[in-house]
Amino acid sequence: MKKLFVSVPAKLLILVVSALLILSAGISLLSISRLNNEFKQFQVEKVKQSKSQLALHTGIAREKLTLWIESFSDVVQLNNESNLVSLSTALARQVDALQLNHNVENVWLIDNQNQLLFSTVQLTEYAQNTALKVLSEQEPFHQLYCAKHCEQLIAVPILNRQGDLAVIVMTMSLVDVIYSINQALNSEIAVVSFNKQNKVLVSDAEFLSTSNVGLMQGLIDNIGKNVYVDEVKELGFQVDIHSNSYLMNLMMLAETDKKQFYLSLVDDVTSIKDEYKQYRFQFLLSSSLIFITLAILVYLVANPFTNRILTLSNALPLLAKKEFEQFRKIRLKRRRLLVDELDIVADSATELSYELEQLNIEIEQKTKELENIAMYDLLTGLPNRNMLNYQIRKAVANISRYKQGVAILFLDLDDFKKVNDSHGHSEGDKLLIEAANRVRLSIRNVDLACRFGGDEFVIVLNNVTSAEEAEPIAQEILERFKKPIKIKSSIFYVSTSIGIAFSDDETIKAEQLVSQADIAMYEAKDNGGDQFHIYHQDMYQRVAHRVMMESEVRQALAKGQFSLSLQPQIVAKSKQLYGFEALLRWKHPEKGMISPDDFIPILENSEHMVELGYWIIRRCFEHCQELRNLGLNEVRIAINLSAGQFIDVNLPSFLRALLAEFNLPAKCFELELTEQTLVKDIDRAIEMMNALKEIGFSFAIDDFGTGYSSLAYIKKMPVDVIKIDKSFIFGMLENHADYQIIISTIAMVKNLGLKVVAEGVETGAQLRSLAENDCDIIQGYYFSKPIPEAELFDFIKSQISDGYWKTTAQVVFD
């Protein structure tokens, strides 16, 4: 598709226009915002003034009427009267004067027996309730009261000579108040009512009184049928009538069960609106003039530049065609005194032509060398992945020709990452070179060994009829890697895991065959390494399950689904609480509790294990501090360290920081390691253990008896506790061999001055037998299953007393 050409002047013009449009839009928005703010401020100020004026004038009217009542009582000499008859007679004569001078609508005189002594109209329920309130509280009362229309109600208590209390209740029209507000604010005022319901239209207003009937009715007619009272009450409403603009506000006066009464304020805002229109016209005129001027200037300035840029753009393709001399013959610079940016670009383009010409010569010389290098690994000298893919495709293509298949061996060095982490990449590279040599020496002349990447190698076996024909070569490789690898003064014991895949299908892809061998290799690695496995379909299902579990484990880490459970450790003979072993638990939101056997192996091989391990250690410190707050100062917590955690150089400093933060002694914690973790690199393990031992931590070897079970390496290490694996405890009373192993192990460990912990104790008979043979610590379901951390302190209160086990233990199964 051909691209549309747009010249630089056009682009600059578009840029200027866009900038002006954005500027205009911004200023317009600011102007509208300013107008809205002015209207809002005007509205708020008017409402505030109207409230003030309403309070002022109703107060003045109320004070006048209250003063009149007090003066009237003195005139009729009520304090010399023994009854209220003369008062009611005199009050009747003053009704006309009250209506004329004070706009009084109704008058009632009620004695302390709630008897009506005088009234101009029938006593309303509200007036009667007001009289009872005043009689009860013996103080004046006033309120704006709206029923059919709004009035100010005033009730004043009076006394005669006998001390009889009576109440004069009057209602006064708001006509004078509305007139006074109208004069003070120069606003048109009206009292309106609406039916009390959720959505009430302004057009349904009922006018009770107004200062300008024609204007008010015109506003209501122009508002329309879709404006609600709540909108006007909160924001005000602007209405245009002919050439004038008005702003209407509503202020609540009172409400009853059926109606709401408002004071409507209407102000002429025509001048504000006219000022805004004038401002907008001036802005648009000035913007148009600026736009036209800038457009002309942009075109005059940019046009010469664009012509020169087009000349340069037409010449540059010559460089791509390697026509360097022809490019340099084109005139790209102006012959002027002043130099600009395009002249500099032209000079640079000319220099670039010389550089490209020289570079082209060098590239042609190096191409042949690179073609050779692209097929071989620079470190080991073996063919690389490019050569591997080529040879596999070639071997697959020959399947139909020779009626034989092709086998792939996928090798991965076990725990090679730990060599890099502990000894550096330089030592790791030397180890890879030696590993490549051993792989090369193990294959036939017709076979191909390649470095696939990192510590992975792939071997292609041609002209084989089955996967079993690859087994001797795989076994040869395993035997070669059993010999130690010596690099300078360091000795490494590195094994390898091998996966074998075979196919006689000429349609199979190279990537698929390598993937099958890779899956078989992981099967070998998962089974302990230092072995080979042949691919079959069931392996793919397990790999798919593992990938799913790895994904769910990552989500569990991110969402905080992991927690700790703590299993008590009890002194065998005294039943004293020795400590707790912290165990990791995973509660899946859908699958519930996941067995540690399913997710711990995945975590140990993931990059997240060290991060999670530090979280576990911090949680153990927090629980230890809480235990000490309960008075359990001698209790210790056993923390399991993964292999990756143990070789992490940051571990000692992290533990020191936690000891300082929580103000805890290191003796409160016991670090548990498996035999396999220790013997993989004994020198490194002893160095780390001594560093942590200096801080004050003790060490326990977990699952003793399931791995190397050699006391020789234990003598070299600063170990404090040996934990006998539960697999021996389960059958100790039924299997004489297990029993003898346990008794012998306890005796040997005790002779070394170490403590013994028996895991998996479930019966009293096991407990008695272990205690009789001098086992120190018991751990198992006989005393308690692992306790979720949220339930730990309830468990301590119910089962532990003064640091000792409180009740007889029972076998508990999870």
Side-chain angles (χ1 to χ4, degrees), residues 566 580 623 627 787-797:
L566 296 101
F580 295 92
H623 288 315
L627 290 171
I787 305 155
E789 53 187 333
E791 303 172 10
L792 178 62
F793 299 105
D794 290 338
F795 170 83
I796 291 174
K797 291 179 182 178

Side-chain angles (χ1 to χ4, degrees), residues 36 39-40 42-44 47 201-203 216 218-241 244-251 264-269 273:
N36 290 335
F39 269 95
K40 186 66 177 177
F42 183 82
Q43 176 196 5
V44 171
V47 172
L201 293 172
V202 176
S203 58
M216 289 295 179
L219 289 175
I220 294 299
D221 293 340
N222 281 274
I223 281 179
K225 300 294 184 181
N226 57 350
V227 179
Y228 294 96
V229 171
D230 289 341
E231 299 175 17
V232 178
K233 183 171 62 176
E234 293 178 4
L235 305 173
F237 192 81
Q238 182 185 344
V239 184
D240 294 330
I241 300 179
N244 292 333
S245 294
Y246 296 93
L247 178 64
M248 174 183 284
N249 292 299
L250 291 177
M251 184 180 73
S264 176
L265 308 173
V266 177
D267 294 280
D268 190 343
V269 293
K273 190 172 181 180

Side-chain angles (χ1 to χ4, degrees), residues 566 568-570 575-580 620-637 664-665 667-669 787 792-805:
L566 296 101
Q569 296 175 329
I570 308 298
K575 306 300 185 294
Q576 182 180 3
L577 179 63
Y578 175 78
F580 295 92
C620 290
F621 271 71
E622 292 171 355
H623 288 315
C624 182
Q625 190 176 55
E626 293 166 346
L627 290 171
R628 290 173 71 86
N629 292 338
L630 293 176
L632 301 175
N633 296 324
E634 300 302 322
V635 171
R636 64 182 61 195
I637 295 181
L664 293 172
K667 68 177 184 178
C668 293
F669 302 96
I787 305 155
L792 178 62
F793 299 105
D794 290 338
F795 170 83
I796 291 174
K797 291 179 182 178
S798 63
Q799 300 295 334
I800 306 300
S801 177
D802 296 330
Y804 288 83
W805 198 261

